[in-house]
Structure formats: C-alpha cells, structure tokens
Amino acid sequence: MSGLQEQIRNQCISCGINVAGSNAAQFDCPECGHQVYRCAKCRKQSNLYQCPDCGFTGP
C-alpha cells in the first residue's frame, strides 16, 4: 500500500480529518468488517458515518 493510500485510509469516516496520532477509534464495520476510523470529536458528538463498502450507517 502506498503512503497516500495509507493516509487516506486513516481518515475519520465522518469528517475526513487525518486521525494518525490522535485519540481516534479504529474498528470493523458491524456488517462487512471494513476497517473504520473515527476521530474523538465525531465519536463524542455521535456523528453518523457510512461504511464505504456496504453502506451500513451508524452513530
């Protein structure tokens, strides 16, 4: 995986900020297992996210 692909993959799925080195959550999508990253702010505010692979939406 190239550096650019790795950086894109480590973005908050809700707001798009880079979550590398922050207090972010990393987990698998409950539906398909796709790796999901969320920043602390979006987690605290319960912002919705949508899995790019299966379309699952969660808080």
Side-chain angles (χ1 to χ4, degrees):
M1 182 175 296
S2 75
L4 179 59
Q5 288 174 327
E6 184 71 21
Q7 183 179 14
I8 291 170
R9 193 182 76 154
N10 291 334
Q11 290 181 333
C12 175
I13 198 165
S14 297
C15 69
I17 67 165
N18 187 354
V19 296
S22 68
N23 189 18
Q26 173 185 347
F27 58 96
D28 295 332
C29 170
E31 290 291 319
C32 70
H34 179 81
Q35 193 73 44
V36 174
Y37 296 89
R38 298 196 66 213
C39 71
K41 184 177 179 180
C42 287
R43 290 187 308 131
K44 184 175 181 177
Q45 295 177 351
S46 299
N47 293 343
L48 294 179
Y49 69 90
Q50 185 174 13
C51 177
D53 282 352
C54 70
F56 174 83
T57 301

